[in-house]
């Protein structure tokens, strides 16, 4: 009976050099696995693999040396521990994220919750080529958002609250982009220099900054045979509805315009950067 390697790859089973052996890629959202899932993965690797796993560069887990005739058993064993196979090939891949504001003091947004929403909406969607989302919580950019087809970076837009200010000068000293100056005992914020890191508002001892969380989007990143930093097109987004409207438009643009085997960045260049930017701006404005 012929083996449908294409279907197996689509379901996360990647052929190895060794005959009838596969490295199984698992579905992991935002790098998050609970203890039960970890125990299940260990048991499957021990029983059906060679007793180890590989952690990928995109927060994924792969179990090498899964035998062809044991694939169905492996799927069943994984499902008992709430684990699912991942995907490969021309479709939306694992959504990566840092730990975000729920854990990290620098975080500006709840990255894992957003990664889960993105995964629920897009994971495994068939597209002309692979497509990657990355979510990072702040300007420290631990997830390197701009490497992804669509990168999302958390930010905080601030506004000085004069009545609460004790004029300690900490915000001016802590601002890495030199967007804050104290002039005649007034805080002057240069919005053109502000990168929405939120450090001033987090450090302020008197809560003298109004904070508004948001999402900074970048499009068309590549980090393979060719390197291209994803580009920001629209201002920081504060509403989740607007965020997903813009993302939906970007994914639709790729799906409708890309040639088979063409990455998002190349589609943007071939169709026209101005054409793409106009579509994204239209979606941003609703």
């Amino acid at each position: 009976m012929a083996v449908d390697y294409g279907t197996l790859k689509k379901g996360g089973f990647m052929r190895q050099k060794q005959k009838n052996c596969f490295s199984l890629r698992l579905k992991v959202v935002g790098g998050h696995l609970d203890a039960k899932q970890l125990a299940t993965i260990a048991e499957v690797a021990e029983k059906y693999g060679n007793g180890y796993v590989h952690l990928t560069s995109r927060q994924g887990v792969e179990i090498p040396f899964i035998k062809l005739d044991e694939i169905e058993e492996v799927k069943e064993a994984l499902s008992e521990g709430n684990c699912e196979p991942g995907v490969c090939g021309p479709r939306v891949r694992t959504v990566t994220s840092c730990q975000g504001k729920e854990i990290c003091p620098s975080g500006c947004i709840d990255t894992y919750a957003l990664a889960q929403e993105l995964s629920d909406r897009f994971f495994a969607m068939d597209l002309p080529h692979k497509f990657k989302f990355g979510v990072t919580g702040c300007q420290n950019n631990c997830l390197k958002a701009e490497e992804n087809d669509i990168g999302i970076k958390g930010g905080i837009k601030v506004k000085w609250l004069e009545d609460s200010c004790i004029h300690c000068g900490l915000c001016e000293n802590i601002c890495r982009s030199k967007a804050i100056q104290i002039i005649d005992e007034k805080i002057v914020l240069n919005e053109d220099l502000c990168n929405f890191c939120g450090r001033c508002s987090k450090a302020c001892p008197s809560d003298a900054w109004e904070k508004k969380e948001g999402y900074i989007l970048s499009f068309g990143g590549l980090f393979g045979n060719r390197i291209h930093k994803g580009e920001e097109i629209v201002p920081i987004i504060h509403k989740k509805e607007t965020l997903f409207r813009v993302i939906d438009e970007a994914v639709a643009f790729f799906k409708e315009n890309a040639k088979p085997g063409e990455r998002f960045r190349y589609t943007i260049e071939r169709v026209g950067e101005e054409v793409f930017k106009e579509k994204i701006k239209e979606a941003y404005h609703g």
Side-chain angles (χ1 to χ4, degrees):
M1 182 176 176
V3 179
D4 188 347
Y5 290 109
T7 298
L8 287 172
K9 183 176 180 180
K10 183 177 181 178
F13 290 88
M14 299 174 291
R15 292 176 71 179
Q16 294 182 200
K17 294 172 64 175
Q18 296 80 8
K19 187 176 180 179
N20 290 331
C21 286
F22 297 81
S23 187
L24 168 58
R25 179 173 294 167
L26 300 177
K27 180 183 179 181
V28 180
V29 180
H32 182 91
L33 291 166
D34 63 32
K36 182 178 180 179
Q37 290 173 312
L38 288 170
T40 300
I41 292 166
E43 291 170 7
V44 169
E46 187 68 37
K47 183 174 180 179
Y48 297 101
N50 271 15
Y52 73 94
V53 301
H54 170 69
L55 302 180
T56 75
S57 61
R58 286 187 57 80
Q59 300 181 326
V61 176
E62 293 176 3
I63 308 175
F65 291 98
I66 300 298
K67 311 302 183 293
L68 176 62
D69 58 1
E70 293 180 332
I71 284 177
E72 293 306 316
E73 289 181 48
V74 167
K75 288 181 180 179
E76 185 175 344
L78 287 169
S79 68
E80 291 175 1
N82 299 326
C83 295
E84 300 177 45
V87 297
C88 304
R91 49 197 53 88
V92 176
R93 304 293 186 84
T94 292
V95 180
T96 61
S97 79
C98 67
Q99 295 197 81
K101 74 171 188 177
E102 298 303 298
I103 300 292
C104 178
S106 298
C108 299
I109 58 172
D110 186 343
T111 52
Y112 178 66
L114 180 56
Q116 188 66 62
E117 288 182 73
L118 289 165
S119 185
D120 291 344
R121 195 179 188 106
F122 296 107
F123 179 72
M125 176 187 286
D126 288 328
L127 291 172
H129 204 341
K130 60 185 175 183
F131 199 92
K132 299 175 181 179
F133 289 95
V135 186
T136 200
C138 68
Q139 287 292 340
N140 290 336
N141 205 10
C142 296
L143 251 292
K144 302 175 179 63
E146 292 87 356
E147 291 182 2
N148 294 271
D149 295 287
I150 294 181
I152 305 171
K153 189 183 299 180
I156 294 177
K157 190 170 185 176
V158 296
K159 179 182 178 182
W160 182 49
L161 303 175
E162 184 174 2
D163 291 344
S164 300
C165 185
I166 60 174
H167 305 285
C168 66
L170 182 57
C171 57
E172 182 183 36
N173 292 332
I174 206 169
C175 181
R176 292 173 174 173
S177 60
K178 305 302 180 185
I180 295 173
Q181 287 184 294
I182 300 176
I183 301 174
D184 295 331
E185 296 190 358
K186 299 281 188 180
I187 300 293
V188 178
L189 174 66
N190 186 333
E191 295 188 0
D192 291 333
L193 293 179
C194 180
N195 66 357
F196 310 109
C197 70
R199 284 168 57 84
C200 55
S201 62
K202 293 174 186 292
C204 181
S206 61
D207 293 326
W209 291 96
E210 182 180 286
K211 297 176 283 189
K212 193 174 182 181
E213 293 181 8
Y215 312 95
I216 302 166
L217 281 174
S218 58
F219 303 89
L222 284 173
F223 207 81
N225 292 315
R226 176 186 165 192
I227 295 174
H228 184 90
K229 181 181 176 182
E231 299 173 15
E232 296 176 21
I233 296 174
V234 292
I236 186 170
I237 294 172
H238 298 289
K239 293 183 178 180
K240 191 74 71 68
E241 177 187 357
T242 304
L243 174 70
F244 278 101
R245 187 170 65 241
V246 171
I247 291 174
D248 284 343
E249 181 60 42
V251 173
F253 180 90
F254 181 54
K255 193 170 188 176
E256 293 166 8
N257 292 283
K259 297 177 179 179
E262 182 177 62
R263 289 296 299 272
F264 186 35
R265 178 68 217 162
Y266 298 134
T267 303
I268 293 170
E269 292 176 349
R270 179 175 54 78
V271 176
E273 297 208 25
E274 292 307 314
V275 174
F276 175 69
K277 288 179 180 179
E278 189 60 33
K279 290 283 187 182
I280 295 302
K281 289 175 182 177
E282 287 176 4
Y284 173 80
H285 291 294

